[in-house]
Amino acid sequence: AQKITQTQPGMFVQEKEAVTLDCTYDTSDPSYGLFWYKQPSSGEMIFLIYQGSYDQQNATEGRYSLNFQKARKSANLVISASQLGDSAMYFCAMRHNNDMRFGAGTRLTVKP
Amino acid sequence: EPEVTQTPSHQVTQMGQEVILRCVPISNHLYFYWYRQILGQKVEFLVSFYNNEISEKSEIFDDQFSVERPDGSNFTLKIRSTKLEDSAMYFCASRADRGDGYTFGSGTRLTVV
């Protein structure tokens, strides 16, 4: 069975600094996809970044990058130059075949 | 930008009543999903739907739940006899193909009283 673990219930970061949100996963299948979603206080789920298990390079999208370490089964999200608007819940998710499961989430607070 | 639309945004219902949550996925998408999120907790998978049938469902998705795509555009989640613990945010999602990312709707907040 697939499992996603986010061990940081809450994180704080100073505005303009970088922050890493941890995500580890467990699967025996070689083909899978990893996602990060942002959920602001409004409740919507906003797609941030995607990494395929066969992708050779780490995914990047603007200030978001995914530190994909396949052997360690980790897919940490790095947010550079944090902004106050980055304060939100962040969910890591893994897709396998027709199924996507989420981690418990990390609440990020950006301090001015 | 195409989006997944969910209605209503908030629904309050009496315990034991039936509710139908509605979703309009992106028009060329083929895979449809329902997730729920109890307040402050993780997002939980309920069911996936492809080719007019359920392809996978979680242990949460018991006989009280059903899904339907009645007219080729709407994708509905029905809860037959709501319980207090069904109170949650329900998210619909869709994607075009197996290799694509999911697009989520903005959610329906269901409150069972």
PDB file of all heavy atoms in Angstrom, chain A residues 95 97-99, chain B residues 4 23 25-34 47-53 55 69 75 92-103:
ATOM      1  N   ARG A  95       0.638   9.860  -6.461  1.00  0.00           N
ATOM      2  CA  ARG A  95      -0.292   9.214  -7.378  1.00  0.00           C
ATOM      3  C   ARG A  95       0.317   7.918  -7.870  1.00  0.00           C
ATOM      4  O   ARG A  95       1.464   7.874  -8.297  1.00  0.00           O
ATOM      5  CB  ARG A  95      -0.606  10.101  -8.567  1.00  0.00           C
ATOM      6  CG  ARG A  95      -1.666   9.521  -9.496  1.00  0.00           C
ATOM      7  CD  ARG A  95      -1.718  10.253 -10.807  1.00  0.00           C
ATOM      8  NE  ARG A  95      -0.551   9.944 -11.615  1.00  0.00           N
ATOM      9  CZ  ARG A  95       0.093  10.836 -12.359  1.00  0.00           C
ATOM     10  NH1 ARG A  95      -0.303  12.077 -12.383  1.00  0.00           N
ATOM     11  NH2 ARG A  95       1.117  10.475 -13.075  1.00  0.00           N
ATOM     12  N   ASN A  97      -1.058   4.772 -10.364  1.00  0.00           N
ATOM     13  CA  ASN A  97      -2.156   4.366 -11.247  1.00  0.00           C
ATOM     14  C   ASN A  97      -3.267   5.400 -11.173  1.00  0.00           C
ATOM     15  O   ASN A  97      -3.063   6.560 -11.415  1.00  0.00           O
ATOM     16  CB  ASN A  97      -2.644   2.960 -10.899  1.00  0.00           C
ATOM     17  CG  ASN A  97      -1.618   1.916 -11.279  1.00  0.00           C
ATOM     18  OD1 ASN A  97      -0.818   2.124 -12.181  1.00  0.00           O
ATOM     19  ND2 ASN A  97      -1.622   0.811 -10.558  1.00  0.00           N
ATOM     20  N   ASN A  98      -4.441   5.001 -10.791  1.00  0.00           N
ATOM     21  CA  ASN A  98      -5.598   5.889 -10.826  1.00  0.00           C
ATOM     22  C   ASN A  98      -5.958   6.389  -9.436  1.00  0.00           C
ATOM     23  O   ASN A  98      -7.124   6.619  -9.133  1.00  0.00           O
ATOM     24  CB  ASN A  98      -6.782   5.138 -11.428  1.00  0.00           C
ATOM     25  CG  ASN A  98      -7.873   6.065 -11.882  1.00  0.00           C
ATOM     26  OD1 ASN A  98      -7.610   7.195 -12.301  1.00  0.00           O
ATOM     27  ND2 ASN A  98      -9.106   5.622 -11.794  1.00  0.00           N
ATOM     28  N   ASP A  99      -4.994   6.600  -8.613  1.00  0.00           N
ATOM     29  CA  ASP A  99      -5.241   6.825  -7.207  1.00  0.00           C
ATOM     30  C   ASP A  99      -4.252   7.845  -6.673  1.00  0.00           C
ATOM     31  O   ASP A  99      -3.079   7.776  -6.982  1.00  0.00           O
ATOM     32  CB  ASP A  99      -5.078   5.477  -6.485  1.00  0.00           C
ATOM     33  CG  ASP A  99      -5.371   5.558  -5.026  1.00  0.00           C
ATOM     34  OD1 ASP A  99      -5.879   6.592  -4.572  1.00  0.00           O
ATOM     35  OD2 ASP A  99      -5.097   4.562  -4.335  1.00  0.00           O
TER      36      ASP A  99
ATOM     37  N   VAL B   4     -12.652  23.361 -12.408  1.00  0.00           N
ATOM     38  CA  VAL B   4     -13.655  22.443 -11.888  1.00  0.00           C
ATOM     39  C   VAL B   4     -14.579  23.254 -10.988  1.00  0.00           C
ATOM     40  O   VAL B   4     -14.110  23.969 -10.107  1.00  0.00           O
ATOM     41  CB  VAL B   4     -12.971  21.306 -11.097  1.00  0.00           C
ATOM     42  CG1 VAL B   4     -14.019  20.410 -10.441  1.00  0.00           C
ATOM     43  CG2 VAL B   4     -12.052  20.502 -12.005  1.00  0.00           C
ATOM     44  N   CYS B  23     -20.638  18.632  -9.018  1.00  0.00           N
ATOM     45  CA  CYS B  23     -19.341  19.020  -9.574  1.00  0.00           C
ATOM     46  C   CYS B  23     -19.469  19.041 -11.083  1.00  0.00           C
ATOM     47  O   CYS B  23     -20.113  18.157 -11.664  1.00  0.00           O
ATOM     48  CB  CYS B  23     -18.278  18.019  -9.126  1.00  0.00           C
ATOM     49  SG  CYS B  23     -16.675  18.182  -9.931  1.00  0.00           S
ATOM     50  N   PRO B  25     -16.761  18.855 -13.859  1.00  0.00           N
ATOM     51  CA  PRO B  25     -15.328  18.757 -14.177  1.00  0.00           C
ATOM     52  C   PRO B  25     -14.986  19.508 -15.463  1.00  0.00           C
ATOM     53  O   PRO B  25     -15.879  19.959 -16.187  1.00  0.00           O
ATOM     54  CB  PRO B  25     -15.117  17.247 -14.359  1.00  0.00           C
ATOM     55  CG  PRO B  25     -16.331  16.594 -13.800  1.00  0.00           C
ATOM     56  CD  PRO B  25     -17.443  17.580 -13.967  1.00  0.00           C
ATOM     57  N   ILE B  26     -13.724  19.606 -15.743  1.00  0.00           N
ATOM     58  CA  ILE B  26     -13.275  20.223 -16.993  1.00  0.00           C
ATOM     59  C   ILE B  26     -13.724  19.338 -18.149  1.00  0.00           C
ATOM     60  O   ILE B  26     -13.625  18.106 -18.075  1.00  0.00           O
ATOM     61  CB  ILE B  26     -11.743  20.429 -16.962  1.00  0.00           C
ATOM     62  CG1 ILE B  26     -11.417  21.455 -15.875  1.00  0.00           C
ATOM     63  CG2 ILE B  26     -11.215  20.866 -18.311  1.00  0.00           C
ATOM     64  CD1 ILE B  26      -9.943  21.622 -15.595  1.00  0.00           C
ATOM     65  N   SER B  27     -14.180  19.960 -19.208  1.00  0.00           N
ATOM     66  CA  SER B  27     -14.980  19.247 -20.215  1.00  0.00           C
ATOM     67  C   SER B  27     -14.247  18.106 -20.911  1.00  0.00           C
ATOM     68  O   SER B  27     -14.868  17.104 -21.250  1.00  0.00           O
ATOM     69  CB  SER B  27     -15.523  20.226 -21.256  1.00  0.00           C
ATOM     70  OG  SER B  27     -14.453  20.869 -21.903  1.00  0.00           O
ATOM     71  N   ASN B  28     -12.966  18.185 -21.133  1.00  0.00           N
ATOM     72  CA  ASN B  28     -12.286  17.106 -21.843  1.00  0.00           C
ATOM     73  C   ASN B  28     -11.589  16.131 -20.891  1.00  0.00           C
ATOM     74  O   ASN B  28     -10.810  15.280 -21.334  1.00  0.00           O
ATOM     75  CB  ASN B  28     -11.280  17.680 -22.851  1.00  0.00           C
ATOM     76  CG  ASN B  28     -10.169  18.452 -22.168  1.00  0.00           C
ATOM     77  OD1 ASN B  28     -10.308  18.869 -21.027  1.00  0.00           O
ATOM     78  ND2 ASN B  28      -9.060  18.629 -22.862  1.00  0.00           N
ATOM     79  N   HIS B  29     -11.867  16.240 -19.612  1.00  0.00           N
ATOM     80  CA  HIS B  29     -11.253  15.331 -18.649  1.00  0.00           C
ATOM     81  C   HIS B  29     -12.003  14.007 -18.586  1.00  0.00           C
ATOM     82  O   HIS B  29     -13.218  13.945 -18.835  1.00  0.00           O
ATOM     83  CB  HIS B  29     -11.190  15.991 -17.263  1.00  0.00           C
ATOM     84  CG  HIS B  29     -10.091  16.991 -17.154  1.00  0.00           C
ATOM     85  ND1 HIS B  29      -9.681  17.512 -15.943  1.00  0.00           N
ATOM     86  CD2 HIS B  29      -9.296  17.559 -18.085  1.00  0.00           C
ATOM     87  CE1 HIS B  29      -8.685  18.372 -16.156  1.00  0.00           C
ATOM     88  NE2 HIS B  29      -8.445  18.406 -17.448  1.00  0.00           N
ATOM     89  N   LEU B  30     -11.246  12.964 -18.270  1.00  0.00           N
ATOM     90  CA  LEU B  30     -11.795  11.613 -18.320  1.00  0.00           C
ATOM     91  C   LEU B  30     -11.863  10.935 -16.956  1.00  0.00           C
ATOM     92  O   LEU B  30     -12.603   9.974 -16.783  1.00  0.00           O
ATOM     93  CB  LEU B  30     -10.939  10.736 -19.244  1.00  0.00           C
ATOM     94  CG  LEU B  30     -10.797  11.225 -20.686  1.00  0.00           C
ATOM     95  CD1 LEU B  30      -9.835  10.305 -21.445  1.00  0.00           C
ATOM     96  CD2 LEU B  30     -12.147  11.273 -21.383  1.00  0.00           C
ATOM     97  N   TYR B  31     -11.080  11.430 -16.002  1.00  0.00           N
ATOM     98  CA  TYR B  31     -10.978  10.788 -14.685  1.00  0.00           C
ATOM     99  C   TYR B  31     -11.523  11.756 -13.653  1.00  0.00           C
ATOM    100  O   TYR B  31     -11.168  12.937 -13.650  1.00  0.00           O
ATOM    101  CB  TYR B  31      -9.522  10.460 -14.351  1.00  0.00           C
ATOM    102  CG  TYR B  31      -8.882   9.480 -15.301  1.00  0.00           C
ATOM    103  CD1 TYR B  31      -8.346   9.918 -16.515  1.00  0.00           C
ATOM    104  CD2 TYR B  31      -8.807   8.126 -15.002  1.00  0.00           C
ATOM    105  CE1 TYR B  31      -7.762   9.025 -17.395  1.00  0.00           C
ATOM    106  CE2 TYR B  31      -8.229   7.232 -15.872  1.00  0.00           C
ATOM    107  CZ  TYR B  31      -7.706   7.685 -17.069  1.00  0.00           C
ATOM    108  OH  TYR B  31      -7.134   6.796 -17.945  1.00  0.00           O
ATOM    109  N   PHE B  32     -12.341  11.240 -12.754  1.00  0.00           N
ATOM    110  CA  PHE B  32     -13.026  12.087 -11.788  1.00  0.00           C
ATOM    111  C   PHE B  32     -12.891  11.505 -10.383  1.00  0.00           C
ATOM    112  O   PHE B  32     -12.849  10.284 -10.223  1.00  0.00           O
ATOM    113  CB  PHE B  32     -14.503  12.233 -12.166  1.00  0.00           C
ATOM    114  CG  PHE B  32     -14.712  12.549 -13.616  1.00  0.00           C
ATOM    115  CD1 PHE B  32     -15.198  11.586 -14.484  1.00  0.00           C
ATOM    116  CD2 PHE B  32     -14.370  13.791 -14.120  1.00  0.00           C
ATOM    117  CE1 PHE B  32     -15.355  11.862 -15.836  1.00  0.00           C
ATOM    118  CE2 PHE B  32     -14.524  14.068 -15.477  1.00  0.00           C
ATOM    119  CZ  PHE B  32     -15.017  13.096 -16.338  1.00  0.00           C
ATOM    120  N   TYR B  33     -12.821  12.406  -9.419  1.00  0.00           N
ATOM    121  CA  TYR B  33     -12.526  11.988  -8.048  1.00  0.00           C
ATOM    122  C   TYR B  33     -13.340  12.806  -7.061  1.00  0.00           C
ATOM    123  O   TYR B  33     -13.669  13.960  -7.311  1.00  0.00           O
ATOM    124  CB  TYR B  33     -11.041  12.221  -7.732  1.00  0.00           C
ATOM    125  CG  TYR B  33     -10.104  11.591  -8.729  1.00  0.00           C
ATOM    126  CD1 TYR B  33      -9.774  12.261  -9.907  1.00  0.00           C
ATOM    127  CD2 TYR B  33      -9.570  10.330  -8.512  1.00  0.00           C
ATOM    128  CE1 TYR B  33      -8.921  11.680 -10.835  1.00  0.00           C
ATOM    129  CE2 TYR B  33      -8.727   9.744  -9.447  1.00  0.00           C
ATOM    130  CZ  TYR B  33      -8.410  10.424 -10.595  1.00  0.00           C
ATOM    131  OH  TYR B  33      -7.582   9.851 -11.516  1.00  0.00           O
ATOM    132  N   TRP B  34     -13.588  12.172  -5.914  1.00  0.00           N
ATOM    133  CA  TRP B  34     -14.072  12.900  -4.747  1.00  0.00           C
ATOM    134  C   TRP B  34     -13.110  12.644  -3.589  1.00  0.00           C
ATOM    135  O   TRP B  34     -12.691  11.503  -3.367  1.00  0.00           O
ATOM    136  CB  TRP B  34     -15.479  12.458  -4.347  1.00  0.00           C
ATOM    137  CG  TRP B  34     -16.553  13.055  -5.212  1.00  0.00           C
ATOM    138  CD1 TRP B  34     -17.212  12.450  -6.239  1.00  0.00           C
ATOM    139  CD2 TRP B  34     -17.108  14.367  -5.116  1.00  0.00           C
ATOM    140  NE1 TRP B  34     -18.127  13.292  -6.797  1.00  0.00           N
ATOM    141  CE2 TRP B  34     -18.098  14.493  -6.129  1.00  0.00           C
ATOM    142  CE3 TRP B  34     -16.888  15.467  -4.276  1.00  0.00           C
ATOM    143  CZ2 TRP B  34     -18.845  15.649  -6.322  1.00  0.00           C
ATOM    144  CZ3 TRP B  34     -17.630  16.618  -4.461  1.00  0.00           C
ATOM    145  CH2 TRP B  34     -18.602  16.713  -5.471  1.00  0.00           C
ATOM    146  N   VAL B  47     -13.277   8.286  -3.739  1.00  0.00           N
ATOM    147  CA  VAL B  47     -13.644   7.448  -4.881  1.00  0.00           C
ATOM    148  C   VAL B  47     -13.053   8.030  -6.156  1.00  0.00           C
ATOM    149  O   VAL B  47     -12.854   9.233  -6.267  1.00  0.00           O
ATOM    150  CB  VAL B  47     -15.191   7.372  -4.984  1.00  0.00           C
ATOM    151  CG1 VAL B  47     -15.785   8.729  -5.322  1.00  0.00           C
ATOM    152  CG2 VAL B  47     -15.648   6.315  -5.952  1.00  0.00           C
ATOM    153  N   SER B  48     -12.749   7.129  -7.090  1.00  0.00           N
ATOM    154  CA  SER B  48     -12.349   7.547  -8.430  1.00  0.00           C
ATOM    155  C   SER B  48     -13.312   6.935  -9.437  1.00  0.00           C
ATOM    156  O   SER B  48     -13.883   5.864  -9.209  1.00  0.00           O
ATOM    157  CB  SER B  48     -10.910   7.147  -8.731  1.00  0.00           C
ATOM    158  OG  SER B  48     -10.743   5.754  -8.596  1.00  0.00           O
ATOM    159  N   PHE B  49     -13.481   7.622 -10.554  1.00  0.00           N
ATOM    160  CA  PHE B  49     -14.541   7.279 -11.525  1.00  0.00           C
ATOM    161  C   PHE B  49     -13.979   7.461 -12.915  1.00  0.00           C
ATOM    162  O   PHE B  49     -13.402   8.516 -13.237  1.00  0.00           O
ATOM    163  CB  PHE B  49     -15.723   8.224 -11.288  1.00  0.00           C
ATOM    164  CG  PHE B  49     -17.000   7.850 -11.974  1.00  0.00           C
ATOM    165  CD1 PHE B  49     -17.886   6.969 -11.383  1.00  0.00           C
ATOM    166  CD2 PHE B  49     -17.341   8.415 -13.197  1.00  0.00           C
ATOM    167  CE1 PHE B  49     -19.096   6.654 -11.988  1.00  0.00           C
ATOM    168  CE2 PHE B  49     -18.543   8.099 -13.817  1.00  0.00           C
ATOM    169  CZ  PHE B  49     -19.421   7.225 -13.204  1.00  0.00           C
ATOM    170  N   TYR B  50     -14.116   6.420 -13.724  1.00  0.00           N
ATOM    171  CA  TYR B  50     -13.610   6.481 -15.096  1.00  0.00           C
ATOM    172  C   TYR B  50     -14.477   5.613 -15.978  1.00  0.00           C
ATOM    173  O   TYR B  50     -14.887   4.524 -15.575  1.00  0.00           O
ATOM    174  CB  TYR B  50     -12.151   6.003 -15.147  1.00  0.00           C
ATOM    175  CG  TYR B  50     -11.606   5.829 -16.542  1.00  0.00           C
ATOM    176  CD1 TYR B  50     -11.335   6.926 -17.340  1.00  0.00           C
ATOM    177  CD2 TYR B  50     -11.372   4.558 -17.057  1.00  0.00           C
ATOM    178  CE1 TYR B  50     -10.841   6.771 -18.628  1.00  0.00           C
ATOM    179  CE2 TYR B  50     -10.885   4.388 -18.340  1.00  0.00           C
ATOM    180  CZ  TYR B  50     -10.617   5.503 -19.127  1.00  0.00           C
ATOM    181  OH  TYR B  50     -10.128   5.351 -20.399  1.00  0.00           O
ATOM    182  N   ASN B  51     -14.773   6.103 -17.161  1.00  0.00           N
ATOM    183  CA  ASN B  51     -15.535   5.320 -18.139  1.00  0.00           C
ATOM    184  C   ASN B  51     -16.884   4.899 -17.558  1.00  0.00           C
ATOM    185  O   ASN B  51     -17.312   3.750 -17.720  1.00  0.00           O
ATOM    186  CB  ASN B  51     -14.707   4.102 -18.565  1.00  0.00           C
ATOM    187  CG  ASN B  51     -15.147   3.561 -19.915  1.00  0.00           C
ATOM    188  OD1 ASN B  51     -15.712   4.294 -20.735  1.00  0.00           O
ATOM    189  ND2 ASN B  51     -14.904   2.287 -20.140  1.00  0.00           N
ATOM    190  N   ASN B  52     -17.501   5.842 -16.854  1.00  0.00           N
ATOM    191  CA  ASN B  52     -18.843   5.652 -16.296  1.00  0.00           C
ATOM    192  C   ASN B  52     -18.950   4.588 -15.220  1.00  0.00           C
ATOM    193  O   ASN B  52     -20.039   4.029 -15.006  1.00  0.00           O
ATOM    194  CB  ASN B  52     -19.856   5.358 -17.409  1.00  0.00           C
ATOM    195  CG  ASN B  52     -20.201   6.604 -18.188  1.00  0.00           C
ATOM    196  OD1 ASN B  52     -20.356   7.680 -17.608  1.00  0.00           O
ATOM    197  ND2 ASN B  52     -20.304   6.480 -19.492  1.00  0.00           N
ATOM    198  N   GLU B  53     -17.844   4.318 -14.561  1.00  0.00           N
ATOM    199  CA  GLU B  53     -17.935   3.408 -13.438  1.00  0.00           C
ATOM    200  C   GLU B  53     -16.869   3.732 -12.403  1.00  0.00           C
ATOM    201  O   GLU B  53     -15.857   4.372 -12.725  1.00  0.00           O
ATOM    202  CB  GLU B  53     -17.821   1.954 -13.883  1.00  0.00           C
ATOM    203  CG  GLU B  53     -16.540   1.590 -14.578  1.00  0.00           C
ATOM    204  CD  GLU B  53     -16.529   0.148 -15.038  1.00  0.00           C
ATOM    205  OE1 GLU B  53     -17.610  -0.448 -15.197  1.00  0.00           O
ATOM    206  OE2 GLU B  53     -15.429  -0.390 -15.231  1.00  0.00           O
ATOM    207  N   SER B  55     -13.731   3.215 -10.358  1.00  0.00           N
ATOM    208  CA  SER B  55     -12.520   2.430 -10.576  1.00  0.00           C
ATOM    209  C   SER B  55     -11.834   2.078  -9.253  1.00  0.00           C
ATOM    210  O   SER B  55     -11.186   1.045  -9.154  1.00  0.00           O
ATOM    211  CB  SER B  55     -11.541   3.138 -11.507  1.00  0.00           C
ATOM    212  OG  SER B  55     -11.436   4.492 -11.191  1.00  0.00           O
ATOM    213  N   ARG B  69     -22.579  10.156 -12.940  1.00  0.00           N
ATOM    214  CA  ARG B  69     -22.289  11.158 -13.966  1.00  0.00           C
ATOM    215  C   ARG B  69     -23.495  11.127 -14.895  1.00  0.00           C
ATOM    216  O   ARG B  69     -23.483  10.455 -15.920  1.00  0.00           O
ATOM    217  CB  ARG B  69     -21.010  10.796 -14.685  1.00  0.00           C
ATOM    218  CG  ARG B  69     -20.491  11.852 -15.608  1.00  0.00           C
ATOM    219  CD  ARG B  69     -19.005  11.668 -15.837  1.00  0.00           C
ATOM    220  NE  ARG B  69     -18.579  12.311 -17.071  1.00  0.00           N
ATOM    221  CZ  ARG B  69     -18.353  13.608 -17.194  1.00  0.00           C
ATOM    222  NH1 ARG B  69     -18.530  14.404 -16.188  1.00  0.00           N
ATOM    223  NH2 ARG B  69     -17.944  14.107 -18.342  1.00  0.00           N
ATOM    224  N   PHE B  75     -20.890  15.620 -12.236  1.00  0.00           N
ATOM    225  CA  PHE B  75     -20.380  14.462 -11.503  1.00  0.00           C
ATOM    226  C   PHE B  75     -20.826  14.680 -10.063  1.00  0.00           C
ATOM    227  O   PHE B  75     -20.402  15.645  -9.424  1.00  0.00           O
ATOM    228  CB  PHE B  75     -18.860  14.397 -11.625  1.00  0.00           C
ATOM    229  CG  PHE B  75     -18.208  13.263 -10.889  1.00  0.00           C
ATOM    230  CD1 PHE B  75     -18.641  11.964 -11.047  1.00  0.00           C
ATOM    231  CD2 PHE B  75     -17.120  13.498 -10.056  1.00  0.00           C
ATOM    232  CE1 PHE B  75     -18.031  10.923 -10.379  1.00  0.00           C
ATOM    233  CE2 PHE B  75     -16.500  12.466  -9.384  1.00  0.00           C
ATOM    234  CZ  PHE B  75     -16.960  11.170  -9.545  1.00  0.00           C
ATOM    235  N   CYS B  92     -14.040  17.896  -5.304  1.00  0.00           N
ATOM    236  CA  CYS B  92     -14.092  17.170  -6.559  1.00  0.00           C
ATOM    237  C   CYS B  92     -12.800  17.477  -7.320  1.00  0.00           C
ATOM    238  O   CYS B  92     -12.261  18.587  -7.211  1.00  0.00           O
ATOM    239  CB  CYS B  92     -15.305  17.652  -7.356  1.00  0.00           C
ATOM    240  SG  CYS B  92     -15.446  16.995  -9.019  1.00  0.00           S
ATOM    241  N   ALA B  93     -12.301  16.512  -8.056  1.00  0.00           N
ATOM    242  CA  ALA B  93     -11.113  16.734  -8.882  1.00  0.00           C
ATOM    243  C   ALA B  93     -11.280  15.970 -10.185  1.00  0.00           C
ATOM    244  O   ALA B  93     -12.012  14.981 -10.260  1.00  0.00           O
ATOM    245  CB  ALA B  93      -9.846  16.293  -8.160  1.00  0.00           C
ATOM    246  N   SER B  94     -10.584  16.442 -11.213  1.00  0.00           N
ATOM    247  CA  SER B  94     -10.608  15.730 -12.488  1.00  0.00           C
ATOM    248  C   SER B  94      -9.249  15.837 -13.151  1.00  0.00           C
ATOM    249  O   SER B  94      -8.444  16.709 -12.815  1.00  0.00           O
ATOM    250  CB  SER B  94     -11.708  16.273 -13.406  1.00  0.00           C
ATOM    251  OG  SER B  94     -11.399  17.575 -13.892  1.00  0.00           O
ATOM    252  N   ARG B  95      -9.004  14.929 -14.078  1.00  0.00           N
ATOM    253  CA  ARG B  95      -7.797  15.040 -14.888  1.00  0.00           C
ATOM    254  C   ARG B  95      -8.065  14.440 -16.252  1.00  0.00           C
ATOM    255  O   ARG B  95      -8.931  13.588 -16.406  1.00  0.00           O
ATOM    256  CB  ARG B  95      -6.600  14.393 -14.216  1.00  0.00           C
ATOM    257  CG  ARG B  95      -6.698  12.909 -13.971  1.00  0.00           C
ATOM    258  CD  ARG B  95      -5.504  12.446 -13.171  1.00  0.00           C
ATOM    259  NE  ARG B  95      -5.645  11.060 -12.753  1.00  0.00           N
ATOM    260  CZ  ARG B  95      -4.868  10.088 -13.204  1.00  0.00           C
ATOM    261  NH1 ARG B  95      -3.905  10.325 -14.074  1.00  0.00           N
ATOM    262  NH2 ARG B  95      -5.040   8.852 -12.770  1.00  0.00           N
ATOM    263  N   ALA B  96      -7.240  14.881 -17.228  1.00  0.00           N
ATOM    264  CA  ALA B  96      -7.508  14.504 -18.614  1.00  0.00           C
ATOM    265  C   ALA B  96      -7.053  13.082 -18.896  1.00  0.00           C
ATOM    266  O   ALA B  96      -7.754  12.301 -19.533  1.00  0.00           O
ATOM    267  CB  ALA B  96      -6.827  15.482 -19.559  1.00  0.00           C
ATOM    268  N   ASP B  97      -5.869  12.760 -18.395  1.00  0.00           N
ATOM    269  CA  ASP B  97      -5.287  11.476 -18.753  1.00  0.00           C
ATOM    270  C   ASP B  97      -4.480  10.975 -17.575  1.00  0.00           C
ATOM    271  O   ASP B  97      -4.220  11.710 -16.620  1.00  0.00           O
ATOM    272  CB  ASP B  97      -4.409  11.635 -19.996  1.00  0.00           C
ATOM    273  CG  ASP B  97      -4.200  10.319 -20.726  1.00  0.00           C
ATOM    274  OD1 ASP B  97      -4.616   9.266 -20.193  1.00  0.00           O
ATOM    275  OD2 ASP B  97      -3.618  10.341 -21.826  1.00  0.00           O
ATOM    276  N   ARG B  98      -4.030   9.745 -17.670  1.00  0.00           N
ATOM    277  CA  ARG B  98      -3.361   9.110 -16.536  1.00  0.00           C
ATOM    278  C   ARG B  98      -2.091   9.844 -16.129  1.00  0.00           C
ATOM    279  O   ARG B  98      -1.711   9.857 -14.978  1.00  0.00           O
ATOM    280  CB  ARG B  98      -3.026   7.669 -16.872  1.00  0.00           C
ATOM    281  CG  ARG B  98      -4.239   6.778 -16.993  1.00  0.00           C
ATOM    282  CD  ARG B  98      -3.844   5.412 -17.490  1.00  0.00           C
ATOM    283  NE  ARG B  98      -3.147   4.647 -16.469  1.00  0.00           N
ATOM    284  CZ  ARG B  98      -3.733   3.810 -15.631  1.00  0.00           C
ATOM    285  NH1 ARG B  98      -5.030   3.637 -15.678  1.00  0.00           N
ATOM    286  NH2 ARG B  98      -3.026   3.130 -14.752  1.00  0.00           N
ATOM    287  N   GLY B  99      -1.434  10.476 -17.104  1.00  0.00           N
ATOM    288  CA  GLY B  99      -0.174  11.128 -16.786  1.00  0.00           C
ATOM    289  C   GLY B  99      -0.308  12.556 -16.296  1.00  0.00           C
ATOM    290  O   GLY B  99       0.686  13.209 -16.000  1.00  0.00           O
ATOM    291  N   ASP B 100      -1.522  13.046 -16.215  1.00  0.00           N
ATOM    292  CA  ASP B 100      -1.724  14.461 -15.915  1.00  0.00           C
ATOM    293  C   ASP B 100      -1.961  14.730 -14.441  1.00  0.00           C
ATOM    294  O   ASP B 100      -2.309  13.840 -13.678  1.00  0.00           O
ATOM    295  CB  ASP B 100      -2.929  14.988 -16.708  1.00  0.00           C
ATOM    296  CG  ASP B 100      -2.658  15.021 -18.191  1.00  0.00           C
ATOM    297  OD1 ASP B 100      -1.486  15.058 -18.579  1.00  0.00           O
ATOM    298  OD2 ASP B 100      -3.636  14.984 -18.961  1.00  0.00           O
ATOM    299  N   GLY B 101      -1.789  16.019 -14.104  1.00  0.00           N
ATOM    300  CA  GLY B 101      -2.101  16.433 -12.746  1.00  0.00           C
ATOM    301  C   GLY B 101      -3.592  16.583 -12.540  1.00  0.00           C
ATOM    302  O   GLY B 101      -4.369  16.614 -13.483  1.00  0.00           O
ATOM    303  N   TYR B 102      -3.974  16.659 -11.275  1.00  0.00           N
ATOM    304  CA  TYR B 102      -5.373  16.807 -10.911  1.00  0.00           C
ATOM    305  C   TYR B 102      -5.709  18.292 -10.827  1.00  0.00           C
ATOM    306  O   TYR B 102      -4.921  19.080 -10.325  1.00  0.00           O
ATOM    307  CB  TYR B 102      -5.620  16.199  -9.535  1.00  0.00           C
ATOM    308  CG  TYR B 102      -5.512  14.698  -9.447  1.00  0.00           C
ATOM    309  CD1 TYR B 102      -4.436  14.011  -9.980  1.00  0.00           C
ATOM    310  CD2 TYR B 102      -6.503  13.961  -8.805  1.00  0.00           C
ATOM    311  CE1 TYR B 102      -4.340  12.648  -9.875  1.00  0.00           C
ATOM    312  CE2 TYR B 102      -6.413  12.585  -8.686  1.00  0.00           C
ATOM    313  CZ  TYR B 102      -5.328  11.928  -9.226  1.00  0.00           C
ATOM    314  OH  TYR B 102      -5.245  10.571  -9.113  1.00  0.00           O
ATOM    315  N   THR B 103      -6.904  18.632 -11.262  1.00  0.00           N
ATOM    316  CA  THR B 103      -7.441  19.959 -11.017  1.00  0.00           C
ATOM    317  C   THR B 103      -8.564  19.829 -10.003  1.00  0.00           C
ATOM    318  O   THR B 103      -9.522  19.070 -10.219  1.00  0.00           O
ATOM    319  CB  THR B 103      -7.973  20.595 -12.315  1.00  0.00           C
ATOM    320  OG1 THR B 103      -6.924  20.656 -13.268  1.00  0.00           O
ATOM    321  CG2 THR B 103      -8.482  21.999 -12.032  1.00  0.00           C
TER     322      THR B 103
END
